[in-house]
Amino acid sequence: MNIAVFCSGSGTNLQAIIDAVKKEEIEAEIRLVVSDVLDAYALVRAKNADIKTLVVERRNFKTKAEFETEIIKNLEKENIQLICLAGYMKMLSSDFIKRYRNRILNIHPALLPSFKGTQGIKDALDYGVKITGPTVHFVDEGMDTGPIVLQAALEVKDDDTEETLVERIHKLEHKIYPEAIRLFVEGKLKIEGRKVRIINPNIKNQISKSKILNFGL
Ligand code: GRF
């Protein structure tokens, strides 16, 4: 299966996916890394791993449609079957989503449906939650609203700051995102309305449910 990863920033999730592919935990090829930010560190990670990159800056296109057409052209060229958003900060248009319906995954740093949006970690901390963690979900037309694939939880400590929480949540992200991608690639995810059923979960390498809920962080 051919995968594209979309990033706007540092790309630690991209790195986790690259590593999982390298270790053959995910039997797929990352054919393209797309970034809308010219100096995103994710692009360096892609280059270090010999992965083709595409930089598309929104300001170089008159309309969002033209911007996305350029992306789609390249996705088609690489015959991309799965798109993984990993810190990609642009909303995809409904036309784009329609074209890749049920083939776009995203990782969000809070337990959806709580704390949607771009500041999930800070919002959860400010709200005073005792438990938080990342969510991998399919992308639909809403902001962070698509069917949930995997979630992982950790305890918020009294002395946690945004920085300490970011670090621990990222560790969980780097476990559940490659795992969710592996399940997709192996055809183990079945979307039934809002619910994503994981077919035949008792297979090699899979993170058990109890591990997902408690990584000792
Ligand atoms: C992650 O926290 C992810 O949940 C959010 O954006 C961040 C990306 O981090 N969508 P990185 O670029 O993968 O390090």
Side-chain angles (χ1 to χ4, degrees):
M1 187 175 291
N2 296 332
I3 300 179
V5 185
F6 286 28
C7 306
S8 304
S10 102
T12 62
N13 280 283
L14 167 66
Q15 191 64 56
I17 301 165
I18 290 173
D19 294 346
V21 169
K22 233 182 238 161
K23 283 191 254 163
E24 296 179 10
E25 287 166 5
I26 300 172
E27 286 183 39
E29 191 183 344
I30 306 170
R31 301 272 298 195
L32 189 64
V33 168
V34 177
S35 178
D36 62 321
V37 177
L38 182 62
D39 61 356
Y41 190 68
L43 292 167
V44 176
R45 296 179 192 275
K47 280 178 190 144
N48 288 342
D50 275 330
I51 298 166
K52 198 185 267 184
T53 58
L54 171 71
V55 179
V56 268
E57 291 180 287
R58 175 65 184 84
R59 65 191 165 103
N60 293 336
F61 297 84
K62 253 195 256 138
T63 62
K64 183 161 182 167
E66 287 170 34
F67 169 71
E68 288 191 340
T69 300
E70 177 65 16
I71 298 176
I72 290 167
K73 202 177 77 191
N74 283 276
L75 296 177
E76 287 181 346
K77 203 159 50 174
E78 298 300 330
N79 191 20
I80 298 300
Q81 292 142 308
L82 170 66
I83 295 167
C84 302
L85 307 184
Y88 182 67
M89 299 307 281
K90 292 253 177 322
M91 283 285 283
L92 299 170
S93 71
S94 50
D95 281 347
F96 188 105
I97 290 162
K98 216 183 284 163
R99 186 181 280 261
Y100 287 96
R101 170 86 57 209
N102 297 341
R103 287 185 289 147
I104 311 173
L105 290 172
N106 181 42
I107 181 126
H108 181 74
L111 290 171
L112 294 173
S114 292
F115 310 113
K116 301 183 177 91
T118 57
Q119 300 198 96
I121 297 178
K122 181 177 187 303
D123 291 346
L125 185 65
D126 290 350
Y127 196 88
V129 297
K130 301 291 187 192
I131 289 172
T132 189
T135 302
V136 179
H137 64 94
F138 282 100
V139 172
D140 66 7
E141 281 80 356
M143 157 99 82
D144 302 324
T145 52
I148 291 171
V149 180
L150 290 178
Q151 294 184 301
L154 54 75
E155 218 178 311
V156 180
K157 296 174 186 159
D158 286 346
D159 59 354
D160 260 325
T161 61
E162 201 184 330
E163 290 68 40
T164 59
L165 211 46
V166 164
E167 199 188 316
R168 298 208 323 288
I169 288 176
H170 271 190
K171 278 192 191 155
L172 287 186
E173 292 187 354
H174 302 158
K175 291 181 195 294
I176 66 167
Y177 208 6
E179 175 67 0
I181 294 167
R182 183 183 74 78
L183 290 168
F184 182 94
V185 166
E186 292 180 7
K188 307 283 187 210
L189 300 180
K190 191 156 179 246
I191 305 177
E192 292 171 349
R194 275 225 52 87
K195 295 187 183 157
V196 179
R197 216 148 50 83
I198 300 177
I199 303 160
N200 186 14
N202 296 324
I203 35 177
K204 198 168 65 135
N205 283 336
Q206 183 169 359
I207 300 170
S208 71
K209 276 195 182 138
S210 64
K211 250 181 160 179
I212 287 175
L213 290 174
N214 181 5
F215 277 109
L217 296 169

